[in-house]
Amino acid sequence: MFRVLLVFSAAGAALSLAGCGLNPFGAFKSPEECMTRVMYFESNRSSAEGMLAVGTVVMNRLNDPKYPHTVCGIVGQPNQFAYGALWKPMKEGRSLELAQQMARKVLGGYRHPGIGNAKFFHTAGYTYPYDNMRYTWVAGGNAFYEKVGRDGSVL
């Protein structure tokens, strides 16, 4: 009995850590659900373009070895996306349907052409004094950017 519990405990911990970026709310969600949630909460429930842009950032991070290796791991990273993105209720029906549709498109390979390799965004209209931000696009109430080195190369 102890051996069975130990195996289940270890397997649960591995799944939890691998799939959710140390965030238990993403441990048993599908990539589509995590993508839907981040699009819903980060694009101000605004437009297909805004949701596509957010999804493109998530996929850009997924293709970078510096980030977690799952969609839910990326969305669950602390202080990176909207608070509660993995657990808050999604109430607005039209926006939820649009986010689900766009999540399927992004997970199927569709990307926003203006985002490029951007892995970051913040609320549009805010400005920051940093010189390492190269903006690529504004959509869905967000400004998307790449971090660049002193020589202008993308980091």
Side-chain angles (χ1 to χ4, degrees), residues 91-114:
K91 298 177 183 177
E92 206 281 292
R94 184 194 155 286
S95 296
L96 175 55
E97 289 174 24
L98 181 59
Q100 290 168 330
Q101 176 187 359
M102 295 312 296
R104 285 190 293 274
K105 283 186 173 189
V106 167
L107 293 170
Y110 193 66
R111 302 291 183 269
H112 190 294

Side-chain angles (χ1 to χ4, degrees), residues 1 11 42-43 48 63 81 92 105 109 122 125 128 134:
M1 178 70 169
E42 286 290 3
S43 69
N63 292 321
F81 295 102
E92 206 281 292
K105 283 186 173 189
H122 61 73
Y128 297 92
R134 179 186 306 145

